[in-house]
Amino acid sequence: MPVEEFVAGWISGAVGLVLGHPFDTVKVRLQTQNTYQGIVDCVVKTYRHESVLGFFKGMSFPIASVALVNSVLFGVYSNTLLALTATSHQERRAQPPSYTNIFIAGCTGGLLQAYCLAPFDLIKVRLQNQTEPRMQIGSSTPRYRGPVHCAASILKEEGPQGLFRGSWALVLRDTPTLGMYFVTYEGLCRQYTPEGQNPSSATVLVAGGFAGIASWITATPFDVIKSRMQMDGLKGRKYGGMLDCMASSFRQEGIGVFFKGMTLNSARAFPVNAATFLSYEYLLRLWR
């Protein structure tokens, strides 16, 4: 089993995470809190109350964990394609796999990534939703002192299952959308690359960016439910399950609730995924 894809996936995931985390913090707060009137209001209030550090809450943990999970996505995707087509990453430009195989490989990677990601993503979301400013005299103490304390508190108060709260919504978000993610990327690369050649850096950037936008537009409804389920249990159970969360959110806020954060997801998706794919492709070419 080639391991280069796993390593390249980890590094490229870290690059994308650094670029996208501030956007992700604002997105999560808009999806889970009703105290903001929109993106600008959330950005202004976060900056005024918590300074620029507020946008990077929960980031240290994902650098080590979520980036690692990204390696699972790219590694499983590439090795699933290898199993389906018997072609390596380098050979796929001369012998391109079918879009069906690409979609299956992307879904497989997305499914396994979701199970690995669930506890780490939950901790990230809980930390991002802490609005208390750090290191400020007289301010209230945050509920969680950091990722390790957050994990320990969840285990103590909610049990092991607490770390997997919202995991079903995460699976439904990632499995089909990551299949679409890789299909969009490969389709655009083929469209603008001469047959048998490697795509140029510009093509990789554009294809990666639009693949990110396409996947996040379809993923946002389940992303909203996932975030709300992850925050459920913090102050008592509000939802009886994923379907109850969907029904309750719809009754209280209308159909628009399922698209909260879509603008930010799309704005973040282009630069983050462009950088992710460019670093991934560059590393694989460098090592070969």
Side-chain angles (χ1 to χ4, degrees):
M1 176 186 292
V3 297
E4 295 94 339
E5 287 87 352
F6 288 94
V7 179
W10 188 91
I11 296 173
S12 61
V15 171
L17 184 67
V18 171
L19 286 173
H21 196 81
F23 294 96
D24 189 59
T25 298
V26 176
K27 181 264 298 182
V28 166
R29 291 186 177 189
L30 287 172
Q31 289 178 338
T32 58
Q33 302 178 32
N34 293 319
T35 56
Y36 305 111
Q37 296 174 3
I39 295 172
V40 175
D41 184 50
C42 182
V43 170
V44 171
K45 287 181 177 177
T46 299
Y47 179 74
R48 282 179 179 173
H49 191 54
E50 305 165 61
S51 80
V52 71
L53 296 176
F55 298 103
F56 294 91
K57 283 187 173 178
M59 182 173 159
S60 59
F61 195 48
I63 281 289
S65 56
V66 176
L68 181 62
V69 170
N70 197 71
S71 77
V72 173
L73 170 62
F74 279 90
V76 170
Y77 165 75
S78 189
N79 282 281
T80 301
L81 267 185
L82 177 62
L84 291 171
T85 65
T87 57
S88 66
H89 181 82
Q90 196 71 15
E91 297 169 333
R92 285 174 206 142
R93 296 304 170 196
Q95 306 172 54
S98 69
Y99 288 120
T100 299
N101 284 335
I102 292 171
F103 183 76
I104 292 171
C107 288
T108 304
L111 177 64
L112 293 177
Q113 177 199 249
Y115 275 108
C116 296
L117 178 64
F120 303 126
D121 190 62
L122 182 137
I123 291 168
K124 174 186 72 72
V125 167
R126 292 276 179 100
L127 291 173
Q128 285 176 318
N129 269 294
Q130 292 192 144
T131 57
E132 298 85 1
R134 285 187 170 185
M135 300 178 293
Q136 189 169 314
I137 298 174
S139 62
S140 56
T141 305
R143 182 185 183 97
Y144 304 119
R145 296 192 295 271
V148 175
H149 180 250
C150 179
S153 298
I154 293 171
L155 282 170
K156 181 179 178 181
E157 298 167 9
E158 304 172 47
Q161 69 274 16
L163 288 171
F164 290 89
R165 198 176 299 282
S167 58
W168 275 113
L170 185 61
V171 168
L172 290 173
R173 184 196 76 174
D174 284 359
T175 303
T177 55
L178 286 169
M180 181 186 299
Y181 177 65
F182 285 106
V183 166
T184 304
Y185 173 73
E186 289 293 339
L188 288 172
C189 281
R190 292 181 192 179
Q191 184 73 25
Y192 299 103
T193 304
E195 189 174 347
Q197 295 184 23
N198 288 321
S200 66
S201 296
T203 299
V204 170
L205 284 170
V206 172
F210 279 109
I213 291 174
S215 63
W216 270 112
I217 286 174
T218 56
T220 296
F222 278 114
D223 190 50
V224 173
I225 300 305
K226 182 269 303 179
S227 295
R228 294 190 171 204
M229 290 293 295
Q230 288 172 328
M231 291 303 295
D232 193 36
L234 191 61
K235 298 178 181 178
R237 294 291 301 277
K238 182 179 178 181
Y239 306 116
M242 186 176 69
L243 292 177
D244 182 50
C245 178
M246 294 173 69
S248 178
S249 298
F250 177 74
R251 281 197 305 268
Q252 294 174 18
E253 301 171 60
I255 191 69
V257 68
F258 299 112
F259 301 96
K260 280 190 172 183
M262 178 177 284
T263 302
L264 267 177
N265 276 339
S266 299
R268 177 189 64 156
F270 193 95
V272 167
N273 290 282
T276 297
F277 270 110
L278 182 64
S279 54
Y280 175 75
E281 294 281 3
Y282 175 79
L283 287 168
L284 287 182
R285 292 177 196 174
L286 182 67
W287 293 333
R288 288 170 183 171

